[in-house]
Amino acid sequence: MSNIVEWYKDFMIKTQDPRTEGWFLVSGPGPTLMIIMTYVYFSVSAGPRYMKDKKPYDLKNTLIIYNFIQVLLSIYLFHEGLMGGWLYEYSFVCQSDGYTSKPNSPRMARVVYAYFICKLTELLDTVFFVMRKKDRQISFLHVYHHSLMPMCAWIGTKFFPGGHATLLGIINSFVHIFMYTYYMLAAFGPHMQKYLWWKKYLTIMQIVQFMIIFTHNFQLMFVTCNFPRPLSFLLVVNSALFIYMFSSFYIKTYMKSSKQRKSKANGSSIMSATDATDAITADAIDSKDHDKYD
């Protein structure tokens, strides 16, 4: 056991990137893992049990402010990531992680750290679902995605705050600009629904995002690059899983549901006044239910 502890300490010290050494929550994985485990426990067990006999909280103003802040943070991350390397200096074919001597290197390290902190704040998405009793939106995809991203971001901040893998954060931040804009507008109420016709395209953007990340890292399996191949392989596997899950979500939510609505419409030539009223009421309820699927 003592040998394992010594190996762990030696590994953490020798492989730590000097740019982020000593930064808050970066020294070891313990605090981040505790946050993630607490998040999962609250999301799937403690939170729903606590809210079982309570009325949903009205968090309209909180959601508007929270999503607005997330939009600003996403714009900042996207801009800084481009200016920190990807717009002018980084190579899309192979970008070494040995970049500490470059002028923009500290800037990119700060961006990676800010991205890590943002992944932690985004856990509030699920907390708000629980407090509003939107339990059906707490899917496996949702919890898995929100649990995995902080740990991936911590690894990047601790060991690789620069280089090839940082493109993931740039693309993800770009998608989040639109995603949190949608959530912010939806939080204003049902009267905004007519302006949110582009909801399904957010899922398409997510799928395209992971396809780009998959391709960007998969190419390193075949080229010589001073960037850890095992890390690129893990990103490839993770991207493939997300492509599958988001694609399944899209098919189930938008393609199958659309076919079912058409089938019902064709099978019902006459609708009574009562049925029509029920359908309108159901649509009105559904319009108030703004899903979050990231």
Side-chain angles (χ1 to χ4, degrees):
M1 182 61 69
S2 62
N3 289 335
I4 294 175
V5 172
E6 288 301 319
W7 172 86
Y8 171 79
K9 290 181 178 178
D10 188 61
F11 175 79
M12 285 293 172
I13 294 173
K14 287 186 176 180
T15 57
Q16 162 79 61
D17 191 288
R19 288 170 288 183
T20 58
E21 186 175 359
W23 291 12
F24 179 63
L25 296 177
V26 178
S27 298
T32 301
L33 286 173
M34 286 298 299
I35 292 172
I36 293 172
M37 288 189 290
T38 302
Y39 159 78
V40 173
Y41 176 68
F42 176 83
S43 300
V44 303
S45 179
R49 284 191 284 109
Y50 172 77
M51 292 297 300
K52 184 177 180 180
D53 299 321
K54 293 180 173 59
K55 294 182 179 180
Y57 287 95
D58 181 12
L59 302 177
K60 178 180 178 180
N61 293 333
T62 301
L63 289 172
I64 292 172
I65 295 172
Y66 166 77
N67 288 307
F68 178 68
I69 292 173
Q70 291 293 346
V71 171
L72 295 181
L73 290 173
S74 297
I75 293 173
Y76 164 79
L77 291 172
F78 180 66
H79 174 266
E80 287 297 293
L82 290 178
M83 302 306 295
W86 283 107
L87 188 61
Y88 299 113
E89 301 175 49
Y90 274 24
S91 168
F92 288 91
V93 177
C94 167
Q95 181 55 55
S96 168
D97 64 328
Y99 207 62
T100 55
S101 62
K102 298 292 184 179
N104 272 338
S105 182
R107 186 176 190 176
M108 181 60 78
R110 289 193 295 270
V111 175
V112 174
Y113 179 71
Y115 181 79
F116 163 59
I117 297 299
C118 282
K119 295 304 106 178
L120 295 177
T121 64
E122 288 171 12
L123 299 180
L124 289 172
D125 288 354
T126 319
V127 174
F128 294 145
F129 280 155
V130 172
M131 295 177 69
R132 295 166 61 217
K133 301 188 77 168
K134 303 289 184 179
D135 294 348
R136 70 179 184 86
Q137 296 178 11
I138 308 175
S139 63
F140 173 79
L141 170 59
H142 178 90
V143 176
Y144 175 77
H145 181 58
H146 279 66
S147 301
L148 187 66
M149 291 305 292
M151 204 64 230
C152 291
W154 178 84
I155 293 172
T157 306
K158 173 75 173 179
F159 304 109
F160 313 103
H164 200 80
T166 56
L167 183 65
L168 181 157
I170 307 305
I171 298 174
N172 187 242
S173 298
F174 176 74
V175 173
H176 279 198
I177 294 172
F178 297 95
M179 188 187 74
Y180 281 107
T181 297
Y182 174 90
Y183 297 160
M184 180 182 66
L185 294 175
F188 279 96
H191 65 280
M192 295 297 296
Q193 191 68 16
K194 60 183 177 181
Y195 303 111
L196 301 176
W197 52 267
W198 43 282
K199 174 182 176 180
K200 71 176 183 179
Y201 296 106
L202 291 174
T203 306
I204 295 176
M205 290 179 70
Q206 294 279 18
I207 296 171
V208 172
Q209 166 192 208
F210 289 112
M211 285 182 173
I212 295 173
I213 296 168
F214 177 91
T215 305
H216 185 242
N217 287 278
F218 187 69
Q219 66 179 336
L220 293 190
M221 303 297 106
F222 307 98
V223 300
T224 302
C225 184
N226 185 23
F227 190 83
R229 188 167 289 179
L231 178 60
S232 296
F233 178 75
L234 289 175
L235 290 174
V236 166
V237 173
N238 188 51
S239 299
L241 287 173
F242 278 128
I243 290 170
Y244 169 75
M245 288 191 288
F246 274 99
S247 297
S248 299
F249 173 87
Y250 183 86
I251 292 171
K252 179 181 178 180
T253 305
Y254 297 110
M255 298 181 69
K256 287 186 178 181
S257 60
S258 178
K259 289 181 180 179
Q260 290 173 355
R261 285 194 296 268
K262 290 181 180 179
S263 177
K264 289 181 180 180
N266 292 334
S268 303
S269 58
I270 300 176
M271 177 182 283
S272 66
T274 302
D275 291 337
T277 302
D278 291 341
I280 293 171
T281 303
D283 287 341
I285 294 173
D286 185 65
S287 70
K288 297 179 182 179
D289 212 1
H290 308 292
D291 290 345
K292 283 188 182 180
Y293 36 79
D294 179 29

